[in-house]
Amino acid sequence: MFSWLARIAWTCWKPVRRYARMSKDDLDDSSLEDPLLWCRSLDKHSYGEFSFAVVQANEVLEDQSQVETGRDATFVGVYDGHGGPDASRFISDHLFLHLMRHAREKGALSEDILRSAFSATEDGFLTLVRRTCGIKPLMAAIGSCCLVGVIWRGTLYVANLGDSRAVIGSLGRSNKIVGEQLNKEHNASLEEVRQELRSLHPNDSHIVVMKHGVWRIKGIIQVSRSIGDAYLKRPEFSLDPTFPRFHLPEPLGRPVLTAEPSVCTRVVQPNDKFIIFASDGLWEHMTNQEAVEIVHNNPRAGIAKRLLKTALSEAARKREMRYDDLKKVEKGVRRFFHDDITIVVIFIDHDLLEKKQPAPELSVKGFIDTVGPSSFNIFKD
């Protein structure tokens, strides 16, 4: 369905593109700002600096994101919603607060505390679905991927649901930068994920189905782990056949999706230079290695925006367009050319890791451009 709609959008766009190319000024003007792009060039966090950029493609932005900088820790969250923005917005409003509450209770951070924060966020969103599904039944079909990174006391914690990606750039042999993916992806396009689903559902021959050239769980969704998507987790949220897009061929016997994150811990090494956190919209257009080389070989200021523009230029090239032409496409229609994309680049300055110098305590929400004080402190005051 999506590829068919994309062909229609592209057919409609071609005459406009020809007209746009007739203007010499447009051909030469590469400074035209993208009205759907937001960025923060460079800010400080406890262990270095960070750069932040978001571009909207959907009619309503489904990517939500945040960076929280505290006295002794740095938090990054990238929440790639699907079916609507409700789940990703809910995560942005609640997950970090759950993490702080659990961490303060223990006076420390751990993988179990990260899992507890994810679980509390999932429970909270399903409660919201239960309260509102009578007036908005499609709330049961709204979900979000969720990628979180926390640096605390020289250790990096990464937790993930879905197919966003955290990639660390480290200096290898001959002082060359090397990209290493830190998190597992939960997408049915991966053979490992399909095998996991088949082993968990041995009696369900339709647990993964190839549909329109894409592997999908129950023929509906690509990601196997998420916050939300209640109708694929609990029978009480099943949608009736009036919503054919989300209709299951048989009643749900057991959950086919889970909100259990994959979590990894890494002690930050002297050769670790930066981490790129990004929704899957970036990785559709570049490899891990291409991304870390762009970051390594360019100035820090505006580096997230540079990554974003590189991805958008590649998305335009695939449609035989220039990025300047793509900038003129309105939100909603833009989704036929690329996804919402969120990028956060966290630089690690090792002298700051050792000195523990104070940094501004900021709470930055992506695209909304709200910047305020953060109360990010793992220890009770």
Side-chain angles (χ1 to χ4, degrees), residues 134-150:
I135 56 174
K136 189 179 178 181
L138 280 179
M139 277 288 285
I142 295 174
S144 181
C145 301
C146 184
L147 172 66
V148 163
V150 186

Side-chain angles (χ1 to χ4, degrees), residues 254-314:
R254 54 177 298 190
V256 296
L257 264 61
T258 175
E260 177 67 25
S262 58
V263 184
C264 78
T265 305
R266 177 191 179 102
V267 176
V268 178
Q269 301 297 316
N271 60 331
D272 296 336
K273 299 302 178 186
F274 55 82
I275 311 127
I276 304 169
F277 296 88
S279 53
D280 69 311
L282 175 69
W283 309 111
E284 290 175 7
H285 302 296
M286 68 178 66
T287 65
N288 296 344
Q289 188 60 29
E290 287 170 341
V292 297
E293 288 177 3
I294 289 170
V295 175
H296 183 64
N297 295 324
N298 289 282
R300 286 186 177 189
I303 194 62
K305 183 178 181 180
R306 182 184 291 271
L307 276 173
L308 196 49
K309 283 188 169 183
T310 303
L312 295 175
S313 295
E314 177 61 16

Side-chain angles (χ1 to χ4, degrees), residues 168-180 271-274 289 292-293 296-297:
I168 194 164
S170 306
L171 286 179
R173 294 178 180 177
S174 304
N175 234 27
K176 290 184 177 179
I177 198 73
V178 177
E180 177 189 350
N271 60 331
D272 296 336
K273 299 302 178 186
F274 55 82
Q289 188 60 29
V292 297
E293 288 177 3
H296 183 64
N297 295 324

Side-chain angles (χ1 to χ4, degrees), residues 36-278:
L36 297 178
L37 192 152
W38 169 95
C39 70
R40 288 185 67 86
S41 179
L42 204 63
D43 287 293
K44 292 185 181 296
H45 68 97
S46 303
Y47 307 118
E49 296 173 312
F50 70 92
S51 184
F52 201 161
V54 180
V55 69
Q56 180 175 354
N58 288 289
E59 187 66 36
V60 178
L61 181 69
E62 293 183 333
D63 271 18
Q64 300 292 311
S65 48
Q66 66 189 119
V67 175
E68 305 280 341
T69 67
R71 284 177 285 175
D72 53 11
T74 299
F75 174 97
V76 179
V78 175
Y79 320 122
D80 181 1
H82 48 261
D86 304 72
S88 56
R89 287 176 180 171
F90 186 91
I91 298 168
S92 181
D93 290 339
H94 293 87
L95 190 146
F96 172 68
L97 298 179
H98 286 307
L99 178 69
M100 267 211 311
R101 177 171 58 84
H102 289 298
R104 285 178 175 177
E105 287 173 356
K106 299 292 184 180
L109 190 66
S110 67
E111 292 188 0
D112 285 342
I113 286 172
L114 269 171
R115 291 189 179 94
S116 296
F118 273 66
S119 178
T121 306
E122 165 82 344
D123 290 345
F125 187 68
L126 293 187
T127 298
L128 177 64
V129 173
R130 188 176 293 108
R131 289 173 178 169
T132 59
C133 64
I135 56 174
K136 189 179 178 181
L138 280 179
M139 277 288 285
I142 295 174
S144 181
C145 301
C146 184
L147 172 66
V148 163
V150 186
I151 305 174
W152 183 63
R153 290 188 169 179
T155 300
L156 170 65
Y157 300 84
V158 176
N160 182 61
L161 298 170
D163 53 9
S164 296
R165 196 179 295 178
V167 175
I168 194 164
S170 306
L171 286 179
R173 294 178 180 177
S174 304
N175 234 27
K176 290 184 177 179
I177 198 73
V178 177
E180 177 189 350
Q181 186 170 326
L182 296 172
N183 65 294
K184 291 183 178 179
E185 291 177 63
H186 311 122
N187 190 301
S189 64
L190 302 172
E191 175 63 27
E192 177 185 355
V193 173
R194 295 198 297 275
Q195 291 293 348
E196 177 185 53
L197 288 164
R198 287 167 180 148
S199 66
L200 291 171
H201 304 271
N203 299 319
D204 188 348
S205 60
H206 297 97
I207 187 63
V208 283
V209 178
M210 177 70 78
K211 191 171 183 180
H212 303 305
V214 177
W215 285 104
R216 297 180 184 274
I217 298 154
K218 305 300 287 185
I220 297 173
I221 191 170
Q222 287 184 266
V223 293
S224 62
R225 303 190 192 192
S226 69
I227 298 291
D229 296 304
Y231 76 114
L232 293 171
K233 294 175 178 175
R234 298 187 184 178
E236 66 183 285
F237 297 118
S238 296
L239 293 167
D240 63 49
T242 58
F243 303 105
R245 179 182 170 191
F246 306 105
H247 179 60
L248 293 169
E250 63 277 329
L252 191 68
R254 54 177 298 190
V256 296
L257 264 61
T258 175
E260 177 67 25
S262 58
V263 184
C264 78
T265 305
R266 177 191 179 102
V267 176
V268 178
Q269 301 297 316
N271 60 331
D272 296 336
K273 299 302 178 186
F274 55 82
I275 311 127
I276 304 169
F277 296 88

